[in-house]
Amino acid sequence: MFLIVITGNVRSQFFQVYGYTTLDPSEKEFVYWTTLIPSSDHSYSFFGNDVSRDGLFAHSLEFEYGLSPNWTIAFYMDFEQPKGESFKWVRTKAVMFHYSLFEKGLLPVDLALYGEYKLPRKDYKIAEEIEFKLIMEKDLGSHRLILNPTFEKKISGPEVGEGVEFALNGAYTFIRSTRFQPRLEYYSKMGELYDMNVFSDQKNYLFTSFDLFFGKYSQFRWHAGVGLGLTDPSDNIIIKSILSWEFF
């Protein structure tokens, strides 16, 4: 499971469309995320300093644990290093639930729920956030389609009165091979539900990516891709890499 979310003037750095499948009971997963932004026309606040996003290098360490056949929890530590700045821990994130509904294939579309709490360092950002995703997945032969309608809300800080932010992310994966699976991904950030931005004022990205599974039991996975910003508020180019190891 992987990801990147962008919110208003707070931009997390990790893009992933989440799938229906959760870990088995007592199964564990370590994940190392990296993101490089080699080209951007935008800046952001980094511990009170206005810095360029051009050259930003971000990292995240994640640990996941399967509580039951349908329920996975996770814990993240996020780090950032803009060009010319120090490497710093910026935020903690807790996935309270990644919960798959029913057995795969029982419904016309496989459904799962995802809920996350984000706690930044106070000298980095002061707003806590919660995020909720509805995961919708459908396999059609060798083709897999996924949609992630996503809702985000600040629950503390001066912007707590703002409305619910909405994003619609999706992916297409060619799953014929169990080892190498090419993928197309789309990410959007549409604004507040009651007053969504026009397309040109949204953040929109198109990624080409892949999943490479290796190891005797395919317990290792490398997910990587390159994304292009489609609108002016977006970064120009994003490169992502996510390495994961599943074990009991």
Side-chain angles (χ1 to χ4, degrees), residues 110-126:
D110 296 315
L111 299 175
L113 304 175
Y114 177 97
E116 182 177 281
Y117 167 70
K118 304 175 186 179
L119 178 65
R121 283 180 58 172
K122 286 188 176 179
D123 49 351
Y124 175 73
K125 302 290 180 188
I126 59 175

Side-chain angles (χ1 to χ4, degrees), residues 3-248:
L3 110 119
I4 283 184
V5 179
I6 301 182
T7 39
N9 58 1
V10 179
R11 303 191 185 194
S12 296
Q13 320 303 347
F14 307 102
F15 288 84
Q16 179 64 9
V17 176
Y18 282 79
Y20 161 85
T21 305
T22 54
L23 296 180
D24 292 330
S26 299
E27 187 176 9
K28 306 164 190 70
E29 184 175 50
F30 281 122
V31 186
Y32 173 49
W33 311 50
T34 56
T35 300
L36 175 65
I37 302 178
S39 177
S40 178
D41 301 323
H42 301 288
S43 61
Y44 79 117
S45 178
F46 183 72
F47 293 92
N49 297 321
D50 191 47
V51 300
S52 174
R53 291 177 60 81
D54 191 89
L56 172 63
F57 200 21
H59 310 257
S60 187
L61 298 175
E62 177 194 5
F63 175 73
E64 297 184 25
Y65 182 76
L67 286 179
S68 75
N70 302 89
W71 186 5
T72 294
I73 59 173
F75 177 79
Y76 297 77
M77 298 287 287
D78 291 351
F79 305 83
E80 293 177 6
Q81 186 175 20
K83 185 184 293 185
E85 299 288 336
S86 302
F87 176 88
K88 291 185 178 181
W89 164 63
V90 298
R91 133 184 351 98
T92 299
K93 297 182 292 189
V95 177
M96 291 83 73
F97 58 87
H98 179 187
Y99 191 85
S100 55
L101 303 175
F102 307 102
E103 296 298 321
K104 186 171 179 64
L106 188 63
L107 298 176
V109 176
D110 296 315
L111 299 175
L113 304 175
Y114 177 97
E116 182 177 281
Y117 167 70
K118 304 175 186 179
L119 178 65
R121 283 180 58 172
K122 286 188 176 179
D123 49 351
Y124 175 73
K125 302 290 180 188
I126 59 175
E128 300 166 84
E129 293 182 68
I130 55 173
E131 176 184 299
F132 175 80
K133 296 180 188 290
L134 174 62
I135 298 168
M136 308 167 68
E137 181 175 298
K138 179 66 176 179
D139 290 350
L140 300 167
S142 299
H143 312 279
R144 174 171 296 160
L145 301 173
I146 306 176
L147 282 179
N148 288 174
T150 302
F151 307 87
E152 299 169 0
K153 180 72 175 74
K154 295 180 177 68
I155 58 173
S156 69
E159 298 175 335
V160 68
E162 291 185 355
V164 175
E165 298 272 344
F166 179 69
L168 183 61
N169 308 325
Y172 161 76
T173 309
F174 186 62
I175 58 173
R176 177 174 294 175
S177 170
T178 59
R179 291 290 183 176
F180 179 80
Q181 297 178 353
R183 185 174 170 110
L184 284 175
E185 303 170 340
Y186 181 78
Y187 298 88
S188 69
K189 187 68 179 180
M190 298 182 177
E192 294 187 21
L193 274 173
Y194 77 92
D195 188 20
M196 286 196 230
N197 299 323
V198 298
F199 181 83
S200 60
D201 292 334
Q202 299 172 7
K203 300 178 182 73
N204 292 276
Y205 295 90
L206 182 65
F207 275 77
T208 58
S209 62
F210 63 84
D211 287 312
L212 176 65
F213 300 85
F214 55 100
K216 184 177 180 180
Y217 304 104
S218 296
Q219 70 271 35
F220 299 101
R221 175 169 54 178
W222 182 33
H223 173 86
V226 177
L228 300 178
L230 305 179
T231 48
D232 287 341
S234 311
D235 298 314
N236 299 325
I237 301 174
I238 293 176
I239 300 172
K240 63 171 178 170
S241 172
I242 305 167
L243 289 169
S244 61
W245 171 37
E246 294 182 358
F247 61 98
F248 285 95

